[in-house]
């Protein structure tokens, strides 16, 4: 009799397991869908073929302009000034390169792959949670959490390149509150927190106009002043040139 009851119990658990998995998967899809909708919707973002973002970056207590350029499918360029030196990170879809005078790199030079991955992340502007599957990223919903007392969804993102990040989305608006990842801060990568705020609509896209980053002993803030959607950008802007 006991064996029969145990057998029935295992059968019931086996039948319930797929249903439990489906229930667990549904909230993730729902959270990601609401996140994309909060940013203006997938259709809007999929229609973005290029973007230019300009604004002010404050680092080491000095404010300087920054420039971000994107051209589909995956060309990016990010320019900033640090300690009076202009730095540029670029990626043309194949090669990641930089100009980094603080490291005595004064001409465009290919970045070693160990640093190139993080350099590409640094030059990224769009949330990896938007259209994550199409980008090759894996997302897991870890449950509910808080950011400075604010209820949030906690998600783990494993990027296509293998790097992992933790994202926190406002449980009401589904816009990002914070991200925990690693950033390029030679001689070795550093853990970083990024906080997002001041969301504004630009041509139907909802974009954070303020980012505050904390890593090591640094505090870096980026304030967006202008966003251009689908401007003309020459492919040569992203290429490594001698």
């Amino acid at each position: 009799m006991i064996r029969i009851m145990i057998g029935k119990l295992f059968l019931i658990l086996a039948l319930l397991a797929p249903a439990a998995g489906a229930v667990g998967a549904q909230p993730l899809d729902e959270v990601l869908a609401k996140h994309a909708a909060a940013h203006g919707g997938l259709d809007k973002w999929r229609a973005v073929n290029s973007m230019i973002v300009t604004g002010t970056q404050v680092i080491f207590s000095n404010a300087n302009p920054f420039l971000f350029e994107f051209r589909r499918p995956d060309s990016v360029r990010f320019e900033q000034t640090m300690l009076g030196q202009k730095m540029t990170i670029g990626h043309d879809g194949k090669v990641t390169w930089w100009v980094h005078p603080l490291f005595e790199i004064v001409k465009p030079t290919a970045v070693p792959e160990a640093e190139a991955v993080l350099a590409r992340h640094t030059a990224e502007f769009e949330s990896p949670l938007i259209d994550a599957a199409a980008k090759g990223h894996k997302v897991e919903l870890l449950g509910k959490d808080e950011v400075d007392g604010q209820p949030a969804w906690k998600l783990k993102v494993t990027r296509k390149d293998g790097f992992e990040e933790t994202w926190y989305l406002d449980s009401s608006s589904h816009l990002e509150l914070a991200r925990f990842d690693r950033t390029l801060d030679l001689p070795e990568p550093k853990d970083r927190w990024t906080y997002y705020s001041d969301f504004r609509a630009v041509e139907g896209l909802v974009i954070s106009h303020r980012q505050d980053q904390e890593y090591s002993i640094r505090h870096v803030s980026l304030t967006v002043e202008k966003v251009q959607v689908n401007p003309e950008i020459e492919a040569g802007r992203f290429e490594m040139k001698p």
Side-chain angles (χ1 to χ4, degrees), residues 42-80:
L42 281 180
D43 290 343
K44 286 283 187 181
W45 282 96
R46 287 171 177 170
V48 175
N49 293 309
S50 63
M51 182 179 288
I52 298 177
V53 181
T54 52
T56 300
Q57 181 187 61
V58 178
I59 184 170
F60 297 115
S61 300
N62 293 315
N64 291 284
F66 75 85
L67 167 67
F68 165 85
E69 295 172 288
F70 164 80
R71 188 171 185 266
R72 202 173 290 281
D74 60 355
S75 295
V76 292
R77 181 185 178 106
F78 183 75
E79 297 178 3
Q80 61 180 328

Side-chain angles (χ1 to χ4, degrees), residues 158-192:
T158 303
R159 288 176 172 266
K160 184 179 180 179
D161 56 34
F163 274 74
E164 296 180 352
E165 303 175 354
T166 305
W167 284 76
Y168 298 82
L169 307 183
D170 184 291
S171 60
S172 297
S173 70
H174 290 83
L175 292 169
E176 56 268 35
L177 291 171
R179 170 179 64 176
F180 178 75
D181 65 352
R182 309 211 83 195
T183 189
L184 191 62
D185 189 33
L186 297 181
E188 60 185 25
K190 296 290 193 305
D191 290 344
R192 172 179 66 173

